[in-house]
Amino acid sequence: MILEMKNIEKRFDGLEVLKDISFGVDHGEVVSIIGPSGSGKSTLLRCATFLETIDGGEIIYMGEKAAHTGADGSAVYAGPQEMKKFRKYCGLVFQQFNLFPHYSILKNITDAPIHVQGVSKAEAEENAMALLRKMGIEDKADAYPYQLSGGQQQRVAIARAMAMKPEILFFDEPTSALDPELTGEVLKVIRQLAEEKMTMVVVTHEMPFAKAVSNRVIFMDDGVIVEQGDPRDVFDDPKEDRTKQFLRVFER
Amino acid sequence: MTFSTMLSTMASGMWKTFLIFALTLLGSLPLGMVVALLRRSRFSLVSGFIKVYISIMRGTPLMLQLLVWYFGPFYLFGWNIGNWRFPAIILGFVLNYAAYFAEIYRGGIESIPVGQYEAAEVLGYTKTQTFMKIILPQVVKIIMPSVTNEVITLVKDTSLAFTLAYAEVFSLAKQISASQSSFMPFLIAGIFYFVANYVVEIVMARIEKSMDYYK
């Protein structure tokens, strides 16, 4: 298991957003998380990537505990040095890309490896160019984010996350901010990563994509995991009424 | 008094005006950043104190503040500080302008989308790296027009030093005009301020242009 999340609890001002969520991600697995907006999908990703702190439960990366419920019932995180290591395990691709506008595309991808991980400039640039080639935008290395289309920016964001060589890559609705004709180029890249056995968790509203690419689908609603399993089972033969109801909306 | 003697007498005032201008910027530009960061402190005692400081600096005339810094030590504590005139002027200007710059910086810092901080955090940048490498450069670009405004105001505000009888260009113009019954010194002072601000405009436009490579 690369990631295990056990009995995760998260509250915002007393409102329970995640209620006793448990799931694991195996090496090379692609997990899609679907569900209506406000169901807690994004919050779950933000907890897994440590952008939000949990209120209870366990987060375990590579068999090591990053967070657990302490004696007083509140969550206890590992020390700052250890957290650095846990942060290194995971990468996150945002809905809004969040590229650094004042850095060139190349610098967006190389800066963190150089200044956070201590990789040499030459090695970081070589690696970045290889990633850009894979993303089909190697000619954009010297451009700035504002000069790129949304689809291109999101591919740069994926390259930036990949450059840190994470064990697991999270996507938070990676195509939701894109025009419909640009979603394809981003999904294609994610599909390509899946073929290379990159471990990924994707929060998405792209049902055909989730069905085609993922090994497992998790359906969340109202802060709980309602149903999970093989995508063919969840999409074609859902067990729970709430899943059926949700999927019916997409058939129209 | 010939025109050229008038001009050469006023030249010393121009230098003094420049000194006030340069030292004020040198002190208040960085101090403003410290004030802006303290204003955002988690500790309400610190942020509260800074709020009061900014409020007083912006809410009372700079001329009055200069008088307080100059005469305050004697009237309040009975201290007689030698050569206090110039330091009091610089102290007054720096503390006043730092408050204005702090608010400009704060506006800039708060306009950076939270996603920039989150992207930096996920990539493992430290808090200092995030601020210095990701946030600050973007803030500088955003606040440049407002900073230009303040710098231009400062050029003209230096004339307030005449309140403490400091012989900068405005004080001298007033003196010479009175003693020579001539309007010319005011004209010279006016042209001096205008040319100085023209240079400021050119320099600031260059700096802004140098950051035009991204949006």
Side-chain angles (χ1 to χ4, degrees):
Chain A
M1 285 280 190
I2 286 192
L3 166 68
E4 284 171 88
M5 296 190 82
K6 290 183 183 166
N7 314 107
I8 301 294
E9 303 278 347
K10 175 69 186 171
R11 285 179 293 275
F12 285 124
D13 296 322
L15 182 77
E16 284 189 291
V17 189
L18 300 176
K19 306 166 194 167
D20 196 27
I21 297 267
S22 298
F23 76 103
V25 185
D26 249 328
H27 196 84
E29 209 181 7
V30 179
V31 177
S32 290
I33 304 180
I34 60 171
S37 56
S39 58
K41 312 178 299 280
S42 291
T43 306
L44 184 60
L45 279 206
R46 294 169 61 83
C47 287
T49 51
F50 308 112
L51 284 176
E52 300 280 357
T53 51
I54 55 171
D55 292 312
E58 287 181 11
I59 302 176
I60 302 163
Y61 272 101
M62 319 288 281
E64 292 173 87
K65 262 183 207 166
H68 66 277
T69 307
D72 64 345
S74 66
V76 182
Y77 279 80
Q81 280 308 313
E82 267 191 285
M83 285 310 293
K84 263 188 199 165
K85 179 185 67 187
F86 289 120
R87 281 216 166 82
K88 197 184 168 300
Y89 288 147
C90 55
L92 175 61
V93 174
F94 298 85
Q95 184 178 345
Q96 301 292 344
F97 332 134
N98 295 343
L99 294 178
F100 303 132
H102 58 307
Y103 282 177
S104 71
I105 298 308
L106 188 66
K107 193 161 169 145
N108 259 284
I109 302 172
T110 58
D111 196 72
I114 294 170
H115 293 106
V116 174
Q117 295 184 337
V119 174
S120 77
K121 191 164 183 260
E123 190 188 334
E125 284 182 355
E126 195 180 322
N127 185 29
M129 286 313 294
L131 283 164
L132 284 176
R133 217 168 294 132
K134 200 157 147 188
M135 304 289 154
I137 39 175
E138 58 193 300
D139 56 324
K140 302 290 184 194
D142 297 323
Y144 283 83
Y146 79 94
Q147 296 167 314
L148 271 57
S149 72
Q152 291 170 331
Q153 288 191 49
Q154 191 60 301
R155 281 181 280 161
V156 174
I158 295 171
R160 179 176 70 174
M162 289 293 291
M164 301 298 282
K165 305 202 160 84
E167 296 293 333
I168 178 169
L169 191 51
F170 295 89
F171 294 80
D172 189 5
E173 303 195 23
T175 60
S176 294
L178 298 175
D179 291 335
E181 74 266 27
L182 299 178
T183 58
E185 59 192 61
V186 171
L187 296 180
K188 198 179 127 200
V189 165
I190 302 174
R191 189 172 288 141
Q192 196 182 332
L193 292 174
E195 279 160 17
E196 293 166 14
K197 294 290 167 212
M198 180 71 206
T199 311
M200 295 186 285
V201 177
V202 188
V203 169
T204 185
H205 291 294
E206 300 284 336
M207 297 305 153
F209 167 80
K211 194 173 168 183
V213 175
S214 38
N215 307 100
R216 188 150 46 93
V217 172
I218 295 177
F219 171 63
M220 277 182 75
D221 190 17
D222 200 21
V224 297
I225 293 179
V226 176
E227 187 166 354
Q228 62 172 314
D230 188 283
R232 271 156 302 184
D233 295 338
V234 175
F235 282 111
D236 300 336
D237 185 21
K239 303 278 177 296
E240 303 291 330
D241 285 343
R242 275 148 89 191
T243 319
K244 286 177 194 164
Q245 215 177 3
F246 174 72
L247 290 173
R248 216 172 288 140
V249 177
F250 285 90
E251 280 166 15
R252 269 188 260 133
Chain B
M1 196 183 250
T2 62
F3 178 75
S4 63
T5 19
M6 215 177 257
L7 205 61
S8 64
T9 314
M10 287 182 72
S12 74
M14 293 176 191
W15 167 247
K16 284 178 172 157
T17 293
F18 175 75
L19 264 187
I20 298 173
F21 172 78
L23 290 176
T24 300
L25 280 189
L26 215 63
S28 62
L29 281 172
L31 182 63
M33 185 51 77
V34 175
V35 174
L37 293 176
L38 290 178
R39 169 82 170 71
R40 290 165 54 80
S41 165
R42 290 180 277 137
F43 305 105
S44 53
L45 204 70
V46 176
S47 62
F49 173 78
I50 294 294
K51 263 188 222 171
V52 172
Y53 155 69
I54 291 174
S55 191
I56 291 173
M57 288 295 129
R58 298 203 300 180
T60 60
L62 176 53
M63 192 188 277
L64 179 74
Q65 291 169 22
L66 290 173
L67 290 168
V68 167
W69 290 118
Y70 185 54
F71 293 112
F74 179 74
Y75 284 118
L76 294 175
F77 309 107
W79 295 342
N80 250 321
I81 310 170
N83 283 331
W84 176 237
R85 192 188 312 271
F86 187 64
I89 290 168
I90 298 303
L91 184 68
F93 270 97
V94 166
L95 290 180
N96 181 276
Y97 270 80
Y100 281 95
F101 283 132
E103 286 298 278
I104 293 175
Y105 294 156
R106 185 170 69 93
I109 292 170
E110 285 174 3
S111 72
I112 303 295
V114 67
Q116 293 288 304
Y117 291 92
E118 292 182 346
E121 188 179 343
V122 169
L123 288 169
Y125 287 104
T126 63
K127 286 233 155 65
T128 313
Q129 280 178 324
T130 303
F131 187 74
M132 297 307 288
K133 293 172 72 85
I134 311 297
I135 305 302
L136 190 57
Q138 298 185 55
V139 169
V140 170
K141 181 182 166 89
I142 292 169
I143 64 172
M144 226 46 203
S146 315
V147 170
T148 303
N149 252 335
E150 282 307 310
V151 174
I152 286 175
T153 305
L154 173 61
V155 169
K156 294 173 288 181
D157 272 0
T158 53
S159 60
L160 289 172
F162 101 98
T163 333
L164 303 189
Y166 184 66
E168 42 67 58
V169 83
F170 185 78
S171 300
L172 285 182
K174 229 173 144 258
Q175 266 174 38
I176 299 171
S177 170
S179 67
Q180 304 291 315
S181 312
S182 163
F183 185 68
M184 190 54 81
F186 288 133
L187 207 63
I188 295 174
I191 292 169
F192 167 75
Y193 287 118
F194 181 79
V195 170
N197 269 330
Y198 193 69
V199 173
V200 167
E201 276 178 39
I202 292 172
V203 170
M204 296 306 273
R206 272 226 186 127
I207 297 175
E208 276 184 51
K209 196 150 190 279
S210 74
M211 291 181 291
D212 255 1
Y213 65 92
Y214 75 93
K215 280 180 185 138

Short mmCIF file of all heavy atoms in Angstrom, two decimals, chain B residues 25-53:
data_model
loop_
_atom_site.label_atom_id
_atom_site.label_comp_id
_atom_site.label_asym_id
_atom_site.label_seq_id
_atom_site.Cartn_x
_atom_site.Cartn_y
_atom_site.Cartn_z
N LEU B 25 13.21 56.88 1.73
CA LEU B 25 12.91 55.67 0.95
C LEU B 25 13.73 54.49 1.47
O LEU B 25 13.20 53.38 1.64
CB LEU B 25 13.23 55.89 -0.53
CG LEU B 25 12.19 56.65 -1.35
CD1 LEU B 25 12.55 56.57 -2.81
CD2 LEU B 25 10.79 56.10 -1.12
N LEU B 26 15.00 54.74 1.72
CA LEU B 26 15.90 53.69 2.19
C LEU B 26 15.39 53.06 3.48
O LEU B 26 15.50 51.85 3.69
CB LEU B 26 17.29 54.30 2.42
CG LEU B 26 18.48 53.41 2.11
CD1 LEU B 26 18.50 53.07 0.63
CD2 LEU B 26 19.79 54.12 2.49
N GLY B 27 14.81 53.88 4.35
CA GLY B 27 14.30 53.37 5.62
C GLY B 27 12.89 52.82 5.51
O GLY B 27 12.59 51.75 6.05
N SER B 28 12.02 53.53 4.81
CA SER B 28 10.60 53.18 4.88
C SER B 28 10.20 52.04 3.95
O SER B 28 9.27 51.29 4.26
CB SER B 28 9.73 54.40 4.58
OG SER B 28 9.98 54.87 3.28
N LEU B 29 10.91 51.88 2.83
CA LEU B 29 10.54 50.77 1.93
C LEU B 29 10.69 49.41 2.63
O LEU B 29 9.76 48.62 2.64
CB LEU B 29 11.33 50.83 0.63
CG LEU B 29 10.83 51.86 -0.41
CD1 LEU B 29 11.79 51.98 -1.57
CD2 LEU B 29 9.44 51.53 -0.92
N PRO B 30 11.87 49.13 3.23
CA PRO B 30 11.98 47.85 3.96
C PRO B 30 11.16 47.83 5.25
O PRO B 30 10.51 46.83 5.55
CB PRO B 30 13.46 47.72 4.29
CG PRO B 30 14.15 48.94 3.80
CD PRO B 30 13.16 49.85 3.14
N LEU B 31 11.15 48.94 6.01
CA LEU B 31 10.40 48.95 7.27
C LEU B 31 8.92 48.70 7.00
O LEU B 31 8.24 48.01 7.77
CB LEU B 31 10.59 50.30 7.99
CG LEU B 31 9.89 50.41 9.35
CD1 LEU B 31 10.45 49.39 10.33
CD2 LEU B 31 10.02 51.81 9.93
N GLY B 32 8.42 49.24 5.89
CA GLY B 32 7.02 49.03 5.52
C GLY B 32 6.70 47.55 5.39
O GLY B 32 5.63 47.09 5.79
N MET B 33 7.64 46.78 4.84
CA MET B 33 7.42 45.34 4.68
C MET B 33 7.35 44.66 6.05
O MET B 33 6.48 43.80 6.28
CB MET B 33 8.54 44.73 3.83
CG MET B 33 8.35 43.26 3.51
SD MET B 33 6.73 42.84 2.81
CE MET B 33 6.92 43.41 1.12
N VAL B 34 8.24 45.07 6.96
CA VAL B 34 8.20 44.51 8.31
C VAL B 34 6.85 44.83 8.97
O VAL B 34 6.20 43.97 9.55
CB VAL B 34 9.36 45.08 9.17
CG1 VAL B 34 9.26 44.59 10.60
CG2 VAL B 34 10.71 44.70 8.57
N VAL B 35 6.43 46.09 8.82
CA VAL B 35 5.15 46.52 9.41
C VAL B 35 3.99 45.73 8.81
O VAL B 35 3.11 45.25 9.52
CB VAL B 35 4.94 48.03 9.20
CG1 VAL B 35 3.55 48.45 9.67
CG2 VAL B 35 6.00 48.83 9.94
N ALA B 36 4.03 45.54 7.46
CA ALA B 36 2.95 44.80 6.79
C ALA B 36 2.88 43.37 7.31
O ALA B 36 1.79 42.83 7.53
CB ALA B 36 3.17 44.81 5.28
N LEU B 37 4.04 42.74 7.51
CA LEU B 37 4.05 41.35 7.98
C LEU B 37 3.57 41.27 9.43
O LEU B 37 2.83 40.36 9.80
CB LEU B 37 5.44 40.73 7.82
CG LEU B 37 5.88 40.55 6.36
CD1 LEU B 37 7.31 40.02 6.28
CD2 LEU B 37 4.94 39.62 5.61
N LEU B 38 3.99 42.24 10.25
CA LEU B 38 3.54 42.25 11.65
C LEU B 38 2.03 42.52 11.72
O LEU B 38 1.33 42.00 12.59
CB LEU B 38 4.29 43.32 12.45
CG LEU B 38 5.76 43.04 12.71
CD1 LEU B 38 6.40 44.20 13.46
CD2 LEU B 38 5.95 41.75 13.50
N ARG B 39 1.55 43.33 10.80
CA ARG B 39 0.11 43.64 10.73
C ARG B 39 -0.69 42.36 10.49
O ARG B 39 -1.83 42.25 10.90
CB ARG B 39 -0.10 44.64 9.59
CG ARG B 39 -1.51 44.91 9.16
CD ARG B 39 -2.20 45.92 10.07
NE ARG B 39 -3.47 46.35 9.51
CZ ARG B 39 -4.55 45.59 9.45
NH1 ARG B 39 -4.53 44.36 9.92
NH2 ARG B 39 -5.67 46.04 8.91
N ARG B 40 -0.06 41.39 9.80
CA ARG B 40 -0.72 40.12 9.51
C ARG B 40 -0.41 39.05 10.56
O ARG B 40 -0.74 37.89 10.37
CB ARG B 40 -0.28 39.61 8.13
CG ARG B 40 -0.84 40.45 6.97
CD ARG B 40 -0.11 40.14 5.67
NE ARG B 40 -0.08 38.74 5.32
CZ ARG B 40 -1.09 38.09 4.75
NH1 ARG B 40 -2.16 38.73 4.42
NH2 ARG B 40 -0.98 36.81 4.48
N SER B 41 0.23 39.47 11.65
CA SER B 41 0.63 38.50 12.67
C SER B 41 -0.58 37.80 13.28
O SER B 41 -1.67 38.35 13.37
CB SER B 41 1.40 39.23 13.79
OG SER B 41 1.49 38.39 14.92
N ARG B 42 -0.34 36.54 13.70
CA ARG B 42 -1.40 35.77 14.35
C ARG B 42 -1.69 36.33 15.74
O ARG B 42 -2.77 36.16 16.28
CB ARG B 42 -0.95 34.31 14.54
CG ARG B 42 -0.83 33.53 13.30
CD ARG B 42 -0.39 32.12 13.59
NE ARG B 42 1.05 32.04 13.72
CZ ARG B 42 1.67 31.36 14.66
NH1 ARG B 42 0.98 30.70 15.55
NH2 ARG B 42 2.99 31.33 14.71
N PHE B 43 -0.68 36.95 16.33
CA PHE B 43 -0.84 37.45 17.69
C PHE B 43 -1.58 38.79 17.65
O PHE B 43 -1.08 39.77 17.11
CB PHE B 43 0.52 37.58 18.37
CG PHE B 43 1.30 36.31 18.35
CD1 PHE B 43 2.38 36.14 17.49
CD2 PHE B 43 0.94 35.24 19.18
CE1 PHE B 43 3.09 34.94 17.47
CE2 PHE B 43 1.63 34.05 19.16
CZ PHE B 43 2.71 33.90 18.30
N SER B 44 -2.76 38.81 18.23
CA SER B 44 -3.62 39.99 18.10
C SER B 44 -3.00 41.19 18.81
O SER B 44 -3.28 42.33 18.45
CB SER B 44 -5.01 39.69 18.66
OG SER B 44 -4.92 39.19 19.96
N LEU B 45 -2.14 40.94 19.81
CA LEU B 45 -1.47 42.05 20.49
C LEU B 45 -0.56 42.79 19.51
O LEU B 45 -0.55 44.02 19.45
CB LEU B 45 -0.65 41.50 21.67
CG LEU B 45 -0.38 42.50 22.79
CD1 LEU B 45 -1.66 42.81 23.56
CD2 LEU B 45 0.70 41.98 23.73
N VAL B 46 0.18 42.00 18.70
CA VAL B 46 1.10 42.59 17.72
C VAL B 46 0.33 43.29 16.61
O VAL B 46 0.55 44.47 16.33
CB VAL B 46 2.02 41.49 17.12
CG1 VAL B 46 2.91 42.09 16.03
CG2 VAL B 46 2.86 40.84 18.21
N SER B 47 -0.63 42.56 16.00
CA SER B 47 -1.36 43.15 14.88
C SER B 47 -2.19 44.35 15.36
O SER B 47 -2.33 45.34 14.64
CB SER B 47 -2.25 42.11 14.21
OG SER B 47 -3.21 41.62 15.10
N GLY B 48 -2.69 44.28 16.58
CA GLY B 48 -3.46 45.40 17.13
C GLY B 48 -2.61 46.63 17.32
O GLY B 48 -3.00 47.75 16.95
N PHE B 49 -1.41 46.43 17.87
CA PHE B 49 -0.48 47.55 18.07
C PHE B 49 -0.13 48.19 16.72
O PHE B 49 -0.13 49.42 16.58
CB PHE B 49 0.80 47.04 18.76
CG PHE B 49 1.88 48.08 18.87
CD1 PHE B 49 1.82 49.07 19.83
CD2 PHE B 49 2.94 48.06 17.98
CE1 PHE B 49 2.81 50.04 19.92
CE2 PHE B 49 3.94 49.03 18.05
CZ PHE B 49 3.87 50.02 19.03
N ILE B 50 0.13 47.35 15.71
CA ILE B 50 0.49 47.86 14.39
C ILE B 50 -0.68 48.63 13.77
O ILE B 50 -0.49 49.67 13.14
CB ILE B 50 0.92 46.69 13.47
CG1 ILE B 50 2.21 46.05 14.00
CG2 ILE B 50 1.11 47.15 12.04
CD1 ILE B 50 3.42 46.94 13.95
N LYS B 51 -1.88 48.13 13.98
CA LYS B 51 -3.06 48.83 13.46
C LYS B 51 -3.14 50.24 14.03
O LYS B 51 -3.42 51.20 13.30
CB LYS B 51 -4.33 48.06 13.84
CG LYS B 51 -4.84 47.14 12.74
CD LYS B 51 -6.21 46.58 13.14
CE LYS B 51 -6.30 45.13 12.79
NZ LYS B 51 -7.49 44.47 13.34
N VAL B 52 -2.92 50.36 15.36
CA VAL B 52 -2.98 51.67 16.01
C VAL B 52 -1.88 52.58 15.44
O VAL B 52 -2.13 53.75 15.12
CB VAL B 52 -2.82 51.52 17.54
CG1 VAL B 52 -2.68 52.88 18.20
CG2 VAL B 52 -4.02 50.77 18.11
N TYR B 53 -0.69 52.02 15.29
CA TYR B 53 0.44 52.79 14.75
C TYR B 53 0.11 53.33 13.35
O TYR B 53 0.26 54.53 13.08
CB TYR B 53 1.69 51.89 14.71
CG TYR B 53 2.74 52.28 13.69
CD1 TYR B 53 3.49 53.45 13.84
CD2 TYR B 53 2.99 51.47 12.58
CE1 TYR B 53 4.45 53.80 12.90
CE2 TYR B 53 3.94 51.82 11.64
CZ TYR B 53 4.68 52.98 11.81
OH TYR B 53 5.61 53.32 10.88
#
